[in-house]
């Protein structure tokens, strides 16, 4: 499931969205598996690929759930993971893929990723755990925005 979400297939198909939803459910049911399989990084990459507000909000709520509970909080690294959500907005030379070159398609994709990041940050700010993770001293999230 992680491989399907992280793969860079275009256009995005229903299997990718179903895999992303299944990873969200796995993260809630078994938080320990999150750290062993790299599910948080897969959720974040999938979040930047999705341009649907419903799917984006589902992934952000899953991350907020993980941040909210003390048992699962240790599996999410806010100073690294949350920064990857902010990167399309705050990083001047942000590239989703290493192979990205300057083309009109890439510019459109970058604009769409900025919009996806805006939706994710908006959803993150709607929860206490998301707000606190953005405002924490070591994450530097709010000051970067």
């Amino acid at each position: 499931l992680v491989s399907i979400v992280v793969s860079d297939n275009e256009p995005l198909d229903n299997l990718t969205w179903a895999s992303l939803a299944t990873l969200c459910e796995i993260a809630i049911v078994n938080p320990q598996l999150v750290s062993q399989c790299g599910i948080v990084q897969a959720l974040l990459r999938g979040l930047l690929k999705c341009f649907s507000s419903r799917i984006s909000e589902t992934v952000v709520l899953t991350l907020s759930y993980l941040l909210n509970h003390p048992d699962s909080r240790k599996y999410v690294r806010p100073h690294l993971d949350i920064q990857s959500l902010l990167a399309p907005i705050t990083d001047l030379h942000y590239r989703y893929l290493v192979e990205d070159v300057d083309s009109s398609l890439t510019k459109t994709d970058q604009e769409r990723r900025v919009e996806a990041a805006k939706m994710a940050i908006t959803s993150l700010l709607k929860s206490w755990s998301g707000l606190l993770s953005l405002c924490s001293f070591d994450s530097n999230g709010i000051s970067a925005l």
Side-chain angles (χ1 to χ4, degrees):
L1 292 174
V2 172
S3 299
I4 293 170
V5 171
V6 173
S7 69
D8 297 318
N9 54 349
E10 293 290 335
L12 300 176
D13 54 356
N14 290 335
L15 180 63
T16 305
W17 302 130
S19 299
L20 190 61
T22 305
L23 285 178
C24 288
E25 290 180 22
I26 290 171
I28 290 172
V29 172
N30 191 355
Q32 186 177 6
L33 190 63
V34 168
S35 68
Q36 295 172 352
C37 298
I39 292 177
V40 172
Q41 290 79 18
L43 288 176
L44 291 170
R45 283 191 60 109
L47 184 61
L48 290 178
K49 281 198 306 189
C50 80
F51 307 115
S52 167
S53 61
R54 284 183 25 203
I55 296 172
S56 174
E57 193 165 334
T58 302
V59 174
V60 170
L61 287 174
T62 301
L63 293 172
S64 296
Y65 175 83
L66 292 173
L67 286 169
N68 196 32
H69 294 284
D71 295 335
S72 61
R73 191 176 300 143
K74 59 186 171 189
Y75 302 121
V76 181
R77 302 167 301 184
H79 59 284
L80 294 176
D81 296 332
I82 302 299
Q83 290 296 328
S84 66
L85 279 181
L86 300 176
I89 297 172
T90 60
D91 190 3
L92 183 62
H93 302 291
Y94 172 76
R95 292 186 298 178
Y96 183 71
L97 299 173
V98 176
E99 298 88 22
D100 281 352
V101 293
D102 292 330
S103 68
S104 61
L105 179 63
T106 304
K107 295 285 186 195
T108 306
D109 285 345
Q110 287 176 348
E111 291 171 359
R112 291 174 73 187
R113 295 203 199 295
V114 167
E115 289 301 317
K118 285 180 186 177
M119 284 191 298
I121 292 168
T122 303
S123 297
L124 198 61
L125 287 172
K126 291 179 183 177
S127 69
W128 281 110
S129 57
L131 182 65
L132 291 175
S133 66
L134 279 173
C135 293
S136 69
F137 181 69
D138 59 346
S139 79
N140 202 16
I142 292 291
S143 63
L145 286 176

